[in-house]
Amino acid sequence: MSISTIGFLGPNATFSAQAVSGLFPNNESKPYRTIPACIDAVVNGEVDAAVVPIENTIEGSVNLTIDYLIHEQPLKIIGEVIIPIKQHLMVHPTNEQNWEKINGVYSHSHAIAQCHKFLHSQFPSIQLEYTSSTGAAAKHVSQHPELMLAAIANELAAEEYGLTIVKPNIHDFDNNHTRFVVLHKNMIDLDVYIKNNNGNKTTLMITLPSDQAGALHQVLSAFAWRKLNLSKIESRPMKTGLGNYFFIIDIEQRLDDILIPSAIAELEALGCGVKVLGSFPYYLL
Ligand SMILES: O=C(O)C(=O)Cc1ccccc1
């Protein structure tokens, strides 16, 4: 297979690690400390692909991933994997009996946001500490049994770092899932290697002509009358001035020979900029 090593947001036992082992059970994988570091590792050839989080049911988009892809390192999205997310509160075994007296909770910003209601009702004035990942939080707590700390992370992290889960399933909404994208330098066909996908998508980045009334409406019409089903539309700042935004649009099918190319041609004729970020299979684990 032309994909051998996969980069992910480490250390071991993060949700990203879980997504990688679910989708690529036989590949080598390599942890990186941040999402940009995972993406850079693909660009400089340290790994063949990276798996990074892009959207969560409760917290929405992972802006760092979208922005780094758009503004810094233009890789291709070659696949998507969606996994259920269960957040647990865990402490060092020494503190198991006294866990209600913890004075600091460590985790990734998305994990903390997924548990806001729980934290607000159980620990209204506790110190929240943001870490680069849930795994990093669990590792930190495991290294400081002398402090009364807890981490929010998954079951694998509790096992990997020897922590005790004192309150399972503290995410505020049951239907908690995260979408991860698989990034590669080239637009390769992942479903040649991984069968049984659950569907296909094409992701476009679209910029609108400036100050044109009804431009977004016209963009959406180009998809609507071709019956191209959109599963997501999101705006992000261009970072060039207030009010300047680009759009990320997911179409619920592969880049075909006729429909999507003709929609793109129509958008370009309207003065839009269009870039295909990827056309890929997705997998639900
Ligand atoms: O920190 C992790 O474990 C990650 O992989 C990022 C993340 C954080 C919270 C939910 C899903 C993914």
Side-chain angles (χ1 to χ4, degrees):
M1 142 134 103
S2 67
I3 302 182
S4 95
T5 311
I6 318 285
F8 67 96
L9 179 63
N12 288 346
T14 57
F15 287 101
S16 302
Q18 222 181 312
V20 171
S21 55
L23 193 61
F24 297 100
N26 302 315
N27 289 64
E28 248 180 70
S29 59
K30 197 167 171 195
Y32 287 89
R33 220 183 63 78
T34 64
I35 291 172
C38 295
I39 296 177
D40 289 349
V42 181
V43 173
N44 64 34
E46 274 174 47
V47 293
D48 303 302
V51 171
V52 292
I54 195 157
E55 185 185 358
N56 172 262
T57 323
I58 301 177
E59 190 48 18
S61 283
V62 181
N63 292 334
L64 183 56
T65 299
I66 295 178
D67 288 357
Y68 203 71
L69 266 185
I70 299 295
H71 297 287
E72 309 293 335
Q73 302 280 28
L75 292 174
K76 296 295 178 196
I77 304 174
I78 60 160
E80 179 180 297
V81 52
I82 300 171
I83 63 167
I85 302 287
K86 296 191 186 312
Q87 304 288 8
H88 310 308
L89 190 74
M90 53 193 75
V91 298
H92 193 278
T94 333
N95 298 322
E96 184 179 349
Q97 302 309 322
N98 293 324
W99 71 272
E100 275 158 306
K101 299 202 185 90
I102 52 168
N103 49 40
V105 174
Y106 282 63
S107 202
H108 185 272
S109 59
H110 263 237
I112 288 178
Q114 289 160 26
C115 306
H116 262 324
K117 277 206 299 189
F118 167 83
L119 291 169
H120 181 66
S121 66
Q122 301 291 308
F123 299 103
S125 53
I126 202 155
Q127 179 85 13
L128 298 173
E129 296 287 349
Y130 295 95
T131 52
S132 53
S133 70
T134 55
K139 194 172 176 184
H140 179 84
V141 170
S142 77
Q143 291 165 341
H144 294 282
E146 75 287 5
L147 304 174
M148 292 295 289
L149 304 177
I152 297 175
N154 62 30
E155 222 174 321
L156 285 177
E159 239 172 77
E160 172 90 19
Y161 301 105
L163 300 182
T164 305
I165 296 177
V166 286
K167 198 82 182 154
N169 298 316
I170 57 167
H171 42 286
D172 295 333
F173 297 89
D174 277 344
N175 183 21
N176 193 16
H177 287 82
T178 292
R179 285 172 61 207
F180 293 82
V181 282
V182 185
L183 303 173
H184 194 276
K185 274 190 200 168
N186 306 311
M187 191 115 58
I188 65 165
D189 230 340
L190 195 60
D191 56 11
V192 170
Y193 309 111
I194 306 173
K195 303 289 173 204
N196 303 324
N197 61 317
N198 296 87
N200 291 287
K201 281 184 193 174
T202 300
T203 301
L204 304 180
M205 175 213 174
I206 299 175
T207 52
L208 301 184
S210 57
D211 271 345
Q212 196 170 297
L216 182 58
H217 180 103
Q218 287 176 315
V219 166
L220 294 178
S221 309
F223 299 110
W225 73 260
R226 289 182 177 81
K227 297 201 173 358
L228 288 167
N229 196 18
L230 306 185
S231 54
K232 173 168 179 167
I233 174 163
E234 159 118 25
S235 60
R236 287 290 304 148
M238 302 260 286
K239 305 187 194 281
T240 53
L242 281 175
N244 298 345
Y245 282 81
F246 65 85
F247 293 85
I248 300 283
I249 287 184
D250 284 348
I251 308 167
E252 197 68 19
Q253 68 166 63
R254 277 292 186 123
L255 185 58
D256 59 341
D257 291 332
I258 298 172
L259 278 179
I260 297 181
S262 68
I264 292 175
E266 187 175 322
L267 299 182
E268 286 172 341
L270 288 168
C272 296
V274 185
K275 199 164 147 195
V276 179
L277 299 185
S279 182
F280 50 85
Y282 65 83
Y283 305 85
L284 311 174
L285 297 184

